[in-house]
Every structure is written in C-alpha cells, then in structure tokens.
Amino acid sequence: MTERDFARDSADERSRDRGPDRSRSGGRWTRRKPWAVAAGGLAVTAAVLVQTVPHTGPTGTTGTAAHEVARGGTGAAPARPASASVPGAEPEPEKCEDGHNPAESLKPSGASGDAVKRIKKKGKLVVGVDQNSYLWGYRDPATGKIEGFDIDLVKAIARDLLGGAGPDKITYRTIPTDQRIPAIRGGDVDMVVRTMTINCERLGQVAFSTAYFQAGQQLVVPKKRARVKGFDSSMRGKRVCYSSGSTAEEMMKSPRYAALGAEPVVVPSQLDCLVRLQLGEADATVTDSALGAGLAAQDPSVELIGEPETVEPYGIAMNLEDKDLVRRVNKVLEDYRKEKWKSAYDRWLADDMMGTEGKKPAPPKPLYRD
C-alpha cells in the first residue's frame, strides 16, 4: 500500500464517522473540521477527481504531476523569488523591470467581448481549482463537493457570466500547482482560481485579475521538537518541503535561500508536505501563510512560525488574449469586495488564519494600469 493509498483509506474511514457541521452562531460560521487529524495521523488526500488536467512528461507518457518531483518542467517557474531578497528581511511588494507592481490589472467593465461571449455560448464556465487546500479549495469527504474561499469566488463569477443558475454550470478541473499555467495556455480552462500568486514572471504567460487576497511565504513545522527554527542556519541539512511550480520553490531555489543549505523535498501539492511532516520525511514546509494556516487547521500538531518572507497577492489567472474576461472578472471583484468578501472570510478563514491577516482582515485594494 502506498503512502497516498494509506492516507486516502484513513480519510475514508474518518469521513464515515465525522462529517462537516456548519452553522451560524452570532453571525459567524462555526465548523467542525472534517479534515482535522490528531497528532501523528495522516492528512487527508483527495480520493476523487472531478476532471484532472493530465500532465505529459518529457518522454511523452501521460500522468499527473504527482509522479514527478522534477524541477524546470512545463509550467515550472525559474529560480527567482516573488518578492524576497534576504532571508528574514522585511518583505516588500515585487516590482517588475518596468517599475510597475505586477498586481496592476485592467480596469473593470461589464461589457461582453469575445471571451465572455464564448463562455455564454457554451453555457458553462471551466475553472482550474485545487481540491487539496483546506479552507480554500478542498473536497469535503462527507459530501464529495469541492468547497472553500476560492470556490465561493468562482460561484460569484459564474453567476455574473451565466445568470442565477451559474454555480450549477461550473466544470471544476482539479490541477496540480505546476500545471496551472499550462492549463490556461492550452485552453483546458477559462480561468484558474487556486491561491495563485501574481508575479512578474507569470505576467508574461497569463493575465491576472486584481488581487483578492494577500499572503506571504512562511514556515510550517511540528509543534514539538521542531528542527527548523526559521529561515536561518537551522535549515542546513534539514529536509524542507514545498510544491513544484510554486513561489515557495522560486524563493527556496534563489541564491540566498539556497545558501541556507536545506535539502529540498519537492511535491505536487502543499498537502503532500503535510503528509511528509506527519511521516517524519520532512522537517519543515514552506508555503503561503494562508495555505499554511489551512495545514495547521487540519493537523494541530503543526504550526506556522516566524513572519512571512514575501508579499504575495492572489489573483485569478486567465488567457493573455481574454482581456474582456479579465475586465469582467475585475468588475465582479469590485462588487465582491464590497458585499461578499467579508462573509466568505468569516465563513472559511476567520477561525483558522491565526492573525496572518491582521486584526481587521480586508481584501487588497485593486490596482489598475490603464
């Protein structure tokens, strides 16, 4: 039995005994966490895919990126951090070569151009999502449905494009981290809503909406007997896990972070890093603070430590040619920030973000370049 099979069987057994229980209390959502596990237990890995975008390796064989830990393949980002420069330094927003902030997007518009008309004509919205990021995009083991903060946003976009029944016309395609950009460029999806950081490198490959959330690279370690204490000399010779094609990988492969001497453990999903921590096959994981909070919510034996090393705005990624769709999504985000963002935050994130968003969480202010 493989590690993934063991995790999946454990998940199935737990889901029979403990299903999700959400209710409102005093205007706030409360949740019994179906994916939370006791110390030493294995994290849930999703057992069922909706439609998984296949990955074709260099030999022409088709499989998922779970079978590769190679770096530099299709969709992998080069060794350049999003905004980090020196380990432990105060993070600053990234600036592109032209001096602009990569989070600047196109001004919002409710008009229907070619891309919007294409989606309306086919009567469905195809979206690349995650099913392994608790709180953000994850498959509830009790219901089999994909839920989370990102999924609520997908539904809002679908309602705008396809009417009130829009959420029922969404095709979710679950994709690994390093296949987000290939899925967009290959036309497999209309957009990707998957805790995807907007950065200068990616701007040359896909178009982004304005930012709807902001996080930063941070460490997740065991609460007891942690061997890694920070982005410092304690990393030397230690096994540090991160997902392929992520900004965590970019940062850790950059010269000053690589000089810390960590032994990389590269996996398809940050949830796989939690499994590695639980099995004792990794000493720490590097991931977005928002995703790290989700890992800590799943398993109370791990915790976020230190401060974020980067400033990472999350955006919705689309094809470079679909400018009208970018503007339409930005219009949806304008309304979403005013009316829905806070309620979605309270429902999914407020109980578990552990202060990563400050005392008064709010969406990032939109930036426009035209």
Side-chain angles (χ1 to χ4, degrees):
M1 177 178 288
T2 68
E3 167 191 313
R4 278 184 174 273
D5 291 334
F6 185 87
R8 183 160 52 243
D9 290 348
S10 300
D12 292 342
E13 183 176 347
R14 282 193 299 272
S15 68
R16 287 193 292 269
D17 299 329
R18 181 170 60 245
D21 182 12
R22 297 191 186 91
S23 60
R24 274 197 176 276
S25 175
R28 288 283 298 279
W29 286 88
T30 58
R31 182 189 303 106
R32 183 168 68 240
K33 302 175 182 64
W35 281 25
V37 295
L42 286 177
V44 169
T45 53
V48 184
L49 300 182
V50 183
Q51 292 185 31
T52 303
V53 175
H55 174 77
T56 303
T59 63
T61 57
T62 300
T64 67
H67 298 295
E68 339 180 331
V69 292
R71 289 150 238 153
T74 303
R80 190 176 64 84
S83 57
S85 55
V86 179
E90 183 71 22
E92 296 181 358
E94 184 183 19
K95 285 187 178 181
C96 301
E97 290 184 359
D98 61 5
H100 287 87
N101 187 322
E104 295 173 357
S105 185
L106 301 174
K107 287 183 178 178
S109 171
S112 296
D114 291 343
V116 173
K117 290 178 181 177
R118 180 189 71 228
I119 293 168
K120 289 185 174 182
K121 183 177 180 180
K122 66 184 179 182
K124 65 179 179 179
L125 179 66
V126 184
V127 187
V129 298
D130 197 358
Q131 65 172 4
N132 293 329
S133 293
Y134 184 54
L135 308 177
W136 291 89
Y138 73 101
R139 189 180 297 282
D140 190 311
T143 66
K145 294 180 179 180
I146 295 181
E147 298 184 341
F149 188 88
D150 278 348
I151 307 307
D152 280 5
L153 181 52
V154 172
K155 292 176 180 178
I157 295 169
R159 286 190 191 96
D160 179 78
L161 294 173
L162 300 171
D168 297 325
K169 299 177 181 179
I170 301 168
T171 297
Y172 296 105
R173 291 192 173 172
T174 59
I175 52 178
T177 302
D178 67 355
Q179 292 303 299
R180 292 176 296 188
I181 289 175
I184 295 169
R185 292 170 65 88
D188 297 309
V189 298
D190 296 310
M191 60 185 65
V192 167
V193 186
R194 196 187 179 283
T195 57
M196 189 168 179
T197 299
I198 307 168
N199 65 25
C200 300
E201 181 67 27
R202 291 172 177 170
L203 283 180
Q205 304 173 76
V206 295
F208 280 101
S209 70
T210 52
Y212 65 88
F213 202 86
Q214 184 167 291
Q217 294 303 315
Q218 202 165 346
L219 278 168
V220 177
V221 300
K223 285 183 178 179
K224 295 182 178 180
R225 297 182 292 276
R227 302 179 69 198
V228 174
K229 309 297 183 182
F231 291 94
D232 53 30
S233 59
S234 67
M235 275 193 172
R236 186 162 299 281
K238 307 301 190 302
R239 298 159 299 176
V240 176
C241 187
Y242 42 83
S243 56
S244 175
S246 66
T247 48
E249 181 181 36
E250 293 179 44
M251 185 181 80
M252 292 304 295
K253 289 173 66 177
S254 65
R256 292 187 177 181
Y257 284 83
L260 295 175
E263 294 183 8
V265 178
V266 188
V267 297
S269 164
Q270 83 284 339
L271 184 60
D272 295 308
C273 284
L274 181 55
V275 174
R276 294 293 196 277
L277 284 174
Q278 292 170 335
L279 292 172
E281 295 176 358
D283 299 301
T285 183
V286 180
T287 189
D288 299 0
S289 53
L291 298 179
L295 297 182
Q298 287 175 254
D299 186 347
S301 73
V302 302
E303 63 181 345
L304 281 164
I305 62 168
E307 299 295 329
E309 294 284 299
T310 60
V311 176
E312 307 218 6
Y314 291 166
I316 297 165
M318 291 157 275
N319 194 286
L320 285 171
E321 297 178 357
D322 291 347
K323 293 182 179 180
D324 66 301
L325 184 58
V326 174
R327 294 186 188 276
R328 186 67 173 258
V329 168
N330 283 341
K331 179 67 172 64
V332 175
L333 285 173
E334 272 201 337
D335 299 332
Y336 198 81
R337 291 185 187 96
K338 297 174 184 176
E339 302 172 3
K340 301 290 181 63
W341 191 95
K342 185 60 166 59
S343 61
Y345 182 93
D346 286 344
R347 180 182 185 186
W348 296 109
L349 307 179
D351 292 339
D352 299 297
M353 288 301 294
M354 296 177 289
T356 61
E357 276 294 284
K359 294 181 179 179
K360 294 183 178 181
K365 292 182 178 180
L367 301 174
Y368 301 109
R369 64 173 180 265
D370 62 347

